[in-house]
Amino acid sequence: MSEGTSRLSGFHKLTPAERAERLARLAGLGPEAAAHYAAAAGDQLALADRLVENAVSTLNVPLGIATNLLIDGREILVPMATEESSVIAAVGNAAKRCRASGGFTTATSGNEMIAQIQQLGMPDPAQVRLKVLERRSDIKAVCDAADPVLLELGGGFRDLEIRVLETAEGPMVITHLIVDTRDAMGANAVNTMAEAVAPRLAEWTGARTHLRILSNLADRRLVRARAVWPLDEIGGAGVRDGILSAYRFAEADPYRAATHNKGIMNGVTAVVLATGNDTRAVEAGAHAYAARDGRYRSLSRWETDADGNLAGALEMPLAVGLVGGATRLHPTAQQNLQVLGVETAAGLARIIGAVGLAQNFAALRALATTGIQKGHMALHAQNVALLAGALGEEVDALAAALVQAGEVRQDVAERLLRELRARKG
Ligand code: NAD
């Protein structure tokens, strides 16, 4: 901001267009900045204003389609929203290479989410724990009354789990409400239940309740995906062994595992976003699950099958929904769900699991063979060409020249663009 204060009284009461104008003025950007915000949002401005506070526009992320996926015997086209080059191509390529062996096989462990209720400041945590357990049927009744729609759909309270935590301020009793949230991601659903149950717990046990919130470590909502890549599809036993060594590196080293899992999330997050689901919730769950035994590890497992082919498996929490949040409100998310042809949250999770595994295969194969930069650079070169100011046909020509020069950098791009234009006259 060029001048003034960030204390903008009444900003939230303005329309998005008025906010954009005020913002442009405050930032010293001129009227074209407000026009840019309006044009970028197109017909999504009213929706943006409903979804978030102080909306001025939308940030459009490219939406592409991953092809070749054969998942549980079904041919699936997968919309992916990502700004990162190579991600969508990598999924399509990995999926093509495992079609001969049947594509991906997937499953889920269920639709159960966990809400946590914290109780603290008690001298007798073991007693409090038992008093909560004795109220199981009362707790079920409170939870189910909080969401009759979910109950009607066959969801609702499933179980209770009580843990006593030793903490820096003494013992705490943590009650887990385990709730089947069916086709909803379920954060609001279980948070509402936790807030309804908490005062009753205080009443029944005499112990003070504090936080009431879901856990994003959705380890009762796991997706599992597996596939086999035949040796002749991956470039032979040497490539297989190279992939296995890369995987073992990730298993042994959290520095490597973080990047290995980031590759999986390149695929996962892109489909989560394309369907209007909560990317942060899925990412938090994935990384917490990767560290569940006390050390951060790979979310996938790689091995050789009885025929010597490369077998991969991915297991991770995946709390996604078809209702609730932005999914139902966003027309593009709705359309993407139609393209996917899914009718349940579990069906969506299964596709996302397959995409995560495909992405992991592609990254491992690239790393174990030519290195990640070769494929990346061809697409990255296009971005660098655009940044250097290339227009129309110049973009491809400049990108090719950058790759050929082996130096995909903006300063080189600017120089080559000047030379290209000089040659053209
Ligand atoms: P929601 O409350 O909007 O929708 C869920 C409700 O829809 C259910 O409670 C049920 O009453 C109803 N429903 C209708 N048809 C259903 C069906 N077929 N299956 C299940 N329920 C059906 O949304 P939600 O899924 O409870 O919460 C998701 C939202 O919460 C996301 O926007 C997320 O970003 C947000 N959130 C996340 C966190 C977190 O992850 N830590 C915390 C708070 C909020």
Side-chain angles (χ1 to χ4, degrees):
M1 206 175 71
S2 65
E3 58 186 67
T5 171
S6 64
R7 176 78 192 89
L8 301 184
S9 165
F11 192 66
H12 68 286
K13 292 185 190 147
L14 304 178
T15 66
E18 289 166 343
R19 281 184 212 121
E21 273 167 34
R22 186 155 174 211
L23 178 67
R25 264 200 318 278
L26 283 165
L29 290 179
E32 67 282 0
H36 170 75
Y37 278 140
D43 62 1
Q44 307 276 301
L45 201 51
L47 176 62
D49 200 29
R50 260 179 79 180
L51 288 175
V52 304
E53 308 73 36
N54 288 349
V56 294
S57 184
T58 60
L59 180 82
N60 298 319
V61 176
L63 178 72
I65 304 297
T67 56
N68 301 329
L69 283 111
L70 180 61
I71 305 175
D72 301 313
R74 281 181 59 213
E75 301 283 347
I76 314 259
L77 293 170
V78 184
M80 298 178 70
T82 179
E83 86 300 344
E84 188 169 345
S85 11
S86 306
V87 166
I88 297 168
V91 170
N93 189 280
K96 189 173 73 191
R97 291 176 191 273
C98 68
R99 286 177 71 88
S101 54
F104 299 88
T105 303
T106 67
T108 58
S109 67
N111 296 313
E112 289 173 359
M113 296 297 285
I114 298 168
Q116 299 190 292
I117 303 173
Q118 177 192 25
Q119 289 188 279
L120 68 180
M122 78 285 285
D124 54 346
Q127 298 282 320
V128 170
R129 176 174 175 275
L130 289 189
K131 286 179 192 167
V132 177
L133 282 169
E134 284 159 18
R135 294 289 180 162
R136 190 181 188 283
S137 57
D138 296 316
I139 292 170
K140 174 175 169 28
V142 175
C143 288
D144 288 346
D147 200 333
V149 177
L150 199 54
L151 194 64
E152 176 78 12
L153 292 164
F157 177 90
R158 286 289 184 270
D159 208 354
L160 207 56
E161 194 176 60
I162 325 278
R163 297 154 60 226
V164 177
L165 287 188
E166 290 305 329
T167 78
E169 62 173 68
M172 294 180 185
V173 173
I174 310 299
T175 296
H176 284 186
L177 306 176
I178 296 158
V179 180
D180 187 327
T181 60
R182 309 309 281 175
D183 295 322
M185 180 267 186
N188 288 323
V190 301
N191 288 345
T192 307
M193 291 179 191
E195 291 195 0
V197 169
R200 309 300 304 277
L201 287 192
E203 200 180 292
W204 293 326
T205 63
R208 183 162 78 88
T209 56
H210 195 42
L211 303 193
R212 301 94 78 208
I213 180 82
L214 92 155
S215 170
N216 287 113
L217 177 49
D219 60 1
R220 289 166 175 268
R221 207 171 191 180
L222 300 175
V223 66
R224 300 185 176 107
R226 63 181 172 83
V228 170
W229 279 267
L231 279 190
D232 58 356
E233 288 282 356
I234 62 175
V239 176
R240 177 201 64 200
D241 294 345
I243 290 175
L244 291 174
S245 296
Y247 156 63
R248 289 182 199 119
F249 179 13
E251 265 302 274
D253 177 22
Y255 284 93
R256 173 62 209 140
T259 317
H260 177 97
N261 289 341
K262 190 274 182 184
I264 293 172
M265 300 311 286
N266 275 344
V268 168
T269 301
V271 191
V272 172
L273 187 60
T275 55
N277 274 288
D278 186 333
T279 54
R280 291 81 55 208
V282 171
E283 281 161 7
H287 298 298
Y289 193 69
R292 68 193 177 283
D293 70 359
R295 209 180 70 212
Y296 187 88
R297 295 177 187 282
S298 163
L299 286 165
S300 60
R301 300 274 173 273
W302 292 91
E303 55 202 10
T304 307
D305 77 0
D307 301 319
N309 298 318
L310 178 71
L314 173 68
E315 180 182 89
M316 61 179 284
L318 207 50
V320 289
L322 304 184
V323 300
T327 302
R328 192 154 260 180
L329 294 173
H330 203 294
T332 314
Q334 278 300 307
Q335 205 160 298
N336 290 339
L337 285 171
Q338 286 170 9
V339 171
L340 288 167
V342 286
E343 276 157 20
T344 61
L348 174 59
R350 288 165 65 161
I351 292 172
I352 297 173
V355 169
L357 182 62
Q359 186 70 55
N360 191 214
F361 167 84
L364 288 175
R365 182 168 180 274
L367 283 168
T369 54
T370 51
I372 206 84
Q373 287 307 80
K374 192 168 173 241
H376 232 94
M377 274 305 149
L379 285 162
H380 180 58
Q382 303 224 354
N383 297 349
V384 174
L386 283 167
L387 276 175
L391 300 168
E393 289 174 357
E394 287 174 348
V395 179
D396 280 344
L398 182 57
L402 285 168
V403 171
Q404 204 185 2
E407 288 182 309
V408 185
R409 293 202 321 262
Q410 188 155 349
D411 58 324
V412 179
E414 283 165 6
R415 176 170 53 79
L416 290 177
L417 183 60
R418 276 196 302 275
E419 289 171 11
L420 192 82
R421 286 179 177 167
R423 273 203 303 279
K424 277 196 162 174

